[in-house]
Amino acid sequence: MKIVLFVALFSATLHAQTATPLPTSQTPLNAKQRALWDKLAASIRQVDLELDGVLGVAIEDLTSGQTFFLHEDEVFPQASSIKIAVLAELYRQDQQAAQGASGKARLSDLYTVQSSDLVPDSDIMGGLTPSVTKITNRDLATMMIAVSDNSATNVLIDRVGMENVNRLLDTLNLAHTRLRRKMMDIKAAGEGRENVSTPREMLSLLEQIYRGKVFNQATTTDFLKMLSTHKDSWIPRDLPDGLQVADKPGSLEGVRNDSGIVFAQNRPYVICVMTTYLRKERDGENAIARISAAAYTMFDRFGRASEYGRVVSPNNSSH
């Protein structure tokens, strides 16, 4: 019963209201806004200085197009953050199927759970009844995003095709973002077949999806709902409750990542923070949360202020 309630709960979140992507027109920054960007850059560099590990950052203001990069072209292990690419290929195939293409995976396709599916870190799939329980690809995707269920992810990789995920990445000019193995394939990881990306490329993937360059509007909106499913991650850790964040964290020994879109009021932005060679993984988690909080503080002010910087809050009585 708990498993059924869990899946129903997270499936229900997909139908919650989601912010609609903005058009591609961009608003230039004024000098005062550029000064705040400089302060954000300084605070990120301070986090980098204090971190016992390697940090990569990519941030883009989806309104102005302004960006900040740090070690943006370094290739980082992605851990579960690569599941964003798997989800994108599932949604691409679902859209193609809706347009009449044959042989494509659909979100509504049914799958019967098999005992051979199970790998470690599969809290939900591990509680289902093999050879009996039937679930949809959408259910599998919800498990993959909400609780990072590795068995659900591996089933989806089989259903959409690893080569198709990488082909999609090629069409989006993401040459350094690659799905090279299934989850928990320790042998493949030991052979160097790691799932990888760069801060710049993960930002580009999310930005292209947001701008409607990957899916049509309806599919884009549904994709962002799915990616916004509540989860335990570091980008939203110190942000206000109720704020929509479409992200996917990833963790391995010595690695902590999180990439996503934060729908700050009137000022959405993409933020990708990657850490590796960490002496302490918790330091990486804290670095991501600190950078995320600093970015949100700036974008929140941009979204609520006039071009002169005046913020008018409810019940504001100042002159």
Side-chain angles (χ1 to χ4, degrees):
M1 176 61 76
K2 289 182 179 179
I3 299 298
V4 174
L5 289 174
F6 178 91
V7 174
L9 173 63
F10 282 106
S11 294
T13 65
L14 303 182
H15 302 289
Q17 185 175 0
T18 304
T20 302
L22 292 175
T24 57
S25 60
Q26 297 179 343
T27 303
L29 298 176
N30 60 40
K32 292 182 287 298
Q33 291 170 331
R34 287 194 294 271
L36 288 180
W37 270 97
D38 290 342
K39 291 179 183 295
L40 174 63
S43 67
I44 294 173
R45 292 191 178 97
Q46 184 62 35
V47 173
D48 182 39
L49 185 65
E50 296 173 2
L51 181 67
D52 192 352
V54 179
L55 174 70
V57 181
I59 300 173
E60 179 178 349
D61 182 346
L62 291 167
T63 301
S64 71
Q66 179 74 22
T67 56
F68 171 84
F69 292 123
L70 176 68
H71 299 149
E72 66 276 16
D73 294 320
E74 290 299 316
V75 176
F76 287 77
Q78 288 306 289
S80 287
S81 292
I82 200 66
K83 294 171 183 177
I84 296 174
V86 178
L87 186 69
E89 176 58 19
L90 172 63
Y91 270 80
R92 187 188 71 86
Q93 290 194 23
D94 182 76
Q95 178 176 289
Q96 290 180 325
Q99 295 169 345
S102 60
K104 304 297 182 182
R106 301 207 62 161
L107 287 162
S108 57
D109 286 346
L110 285 171
Y111 179 75
T112 302
V113 175
Q114 303 296 323
S115 58
S116 58
D117 296 334
L118 298 180
V119 296
D121 293 336
S122 304
D123 292 342
I124 304 304
M125 284 281 280
L128 303 181
T129 306
S131 303
V132 174
T133 302
K134 293 182 182 296
I135 53 180
T136 66
N137 284 343
R138 183 183 288 276
D139 296 329
L140 289 165
T142 303
M143 296 177 200
M144 177 176 73
I145 297 302
V147 295
S148 210
D149 191 294
N150 285 326
S151 296
T153 303
N154 286 349
V155 171
L156 283 178
I157 290 173
D158 284 339
R159 305 203 87 183
V160 303
M162 187 180 297
E163 69 284 357
N164 291 326
V165 175
N166 289 322
R167 189 173 296 117
L168 170 63
L169 296 169
D170 284 337
T171 65
L172 300 176
N173 296 315
L174 306 176
H176 300 292
T177 305
R178 281 294 173 270
L179 177 66
R180 291 174 172 161
R181 62 171 177 82
K182 290 183 177 181
M183 304 302 111
M184 304 306 296
D185 187 342
I186 304 303
K187 180 176 183 295
E191 294 170 351
R193 284 184 282 136
E194 195 58 75
N195 298 322
V196 295
S197 187
T198 70
R200 187 198 297 272
E201 288 200 358
M202 192 58 76
L203 180 147
S204 178
L205 173 60
L206 290 165
E207 189 265 347
Q208 290 185 72
I209 290 171
Y210 177 88
R211 302 268 186 218
K213 297 179 181 178
V214 182
F215 317 122
N216 60 33
Q217 183 174 346
T219 302
T220 298
T221 299
D222 193 40
F223 176 93
L224 293 174
K225 285 180 182 177
M226 174 66 78
L227 198 58
S228 299
T229 302
H230 179 74
K231 62 188 75 69
D232 184 15
S233 53
W234 304 298
I235 286 176
R237 191 182 76 180
D238 296 330
L239 304 189
D241 293 338
L243 176 66
Q244 183 189 351
V245 179
D247 73 312
K248 187 70 189 78
S251 60
L252 292 167
E253 185 175 358
V255 174
R256 291 294 187 270
N257 303 319
D258 203 354
S259 294
I261 302 172
V262 178
F263 290 88
Q265 179 182 337
N266 302 321
R267 207 77 182 204
Y269 58 97
V270 183
I271 177 169
C272 303
V273 186
M274 303 177 185
T275 64
T276 193
Y277 281 109
L278 293 169
R279 189 169 70 88
K280 296 180 180 179
E281 285 88 1
R282 182 168 293 183
D283 291 346
E285 298 166 7
N286 291 336
I288 296 169
R290 285 177 61 189
I291 292 169
S292 175
Y296 176 77
T297 297
M298 182 185 73
F299 285 109
D300 177 57
R301 276 182 283 179
F302 285 171
R304 295 188 298 114
S306 72
E307 63 178 300
Y308 307 108
R310 165 70 186 272
V311 177
V312 180
S313 300
N315 302 318
N316 187 303
S317 60
S318 60
H319 298 287

